[in-house]
Amino acid sequence: MRTKVVFFAGKEIRVEERRIGELEKLIVDLFPSSKGKIANIDISKELGALDFDILYEKLPVIFPEITKEDIKVAYMSEIEAILEAFIDVNFLGLKKILKPILALAQNGLMQK
């Protein structure tokens, strides 16, 4: 199991790798209309009214140890760091696979 430690609003947060079923439940909790399917997330709809409320609503779902008060005193760089750690811990394998696939696709497009 992969883990990373991130400092967020003066707290040490341990970001742990989650099981596939846990990630599916998290997707449902964050985006109920998706029914747990990443492909069903309509980002433009979800981020349509982008403001700080999205941070107050969504971050504690992903990181239960973070409170609204923590978010209020956090720097944007800390929010970026904790989200990046979550992606690295849970989706690093996908990032490694997708990078060469995207490069192949890009090369194929440039050869046409």
Side-chain angles (χ1 to χ4, degrees):
M1 173 172 50
R2 283 181 269 222
T3 62
K4 277 193 174 187
V5 174
V6 179
F7 290 94
F8 185 89
K11 291 182 175 181
E12 185 177 283
I13 307 291
R14 184 176 173 173
V15 180
E16 295 182 347
E17 185 176 18
R18 298 190 187 191
R19 297 179 188 275
I20 299 297
E22 294 170 330
L23 290 171
E24 286 177 326
K25 183 183 179 324
L26 181 63
I27 295 296
V28 170
D29 292 345
L30 289 170
F31 311 104
S33 64
S34 73
K35 296 184 172 70
K37 305 287 183 197
I38 294 172
N40 292 345
I41 299 171
D42 183 351
I43 293 295
S44 61
K45 179 181 160 192
E46 296 294 338
L47 300 179
L50 185 60
D51 60 21
F52 291 109
D53 286 343
I54 197 167
L55 298 175
Y56 300 134
E57 292 170 15
K58 306 290 186 184
L59 280 180
V61 173
I62 303 169
F63 309 103
E65 59 268 60
I66 293 176
T67 66
K68 184 176 181 178
E69 291 306 313
D70 293 333
I71 295 166
K72 283 185 177 188
V73 299
Y75 292 101
M76 284 304 292
S77 60
E78 291 175 309
I79 291 170
E80 291 170 9
I82 200 164
L83 290 174
E84 186 175 287
F86 179 80
I87 291 168
D88 284 349
V89 165
N90 288 285
F91 300 106
L92 183 63
L94 285 178
K95 285 172 58 176
K96 285 182 178 179
I97 292 169
L98 287 177
K99 199 172 193 175
I101 290 173
L102 291 174
L104 283 172
Q106 194 172 36
N107 287 337
L109 288 174
M110 288 171 36
Q111 290 178 1
K112 287 185 176 182

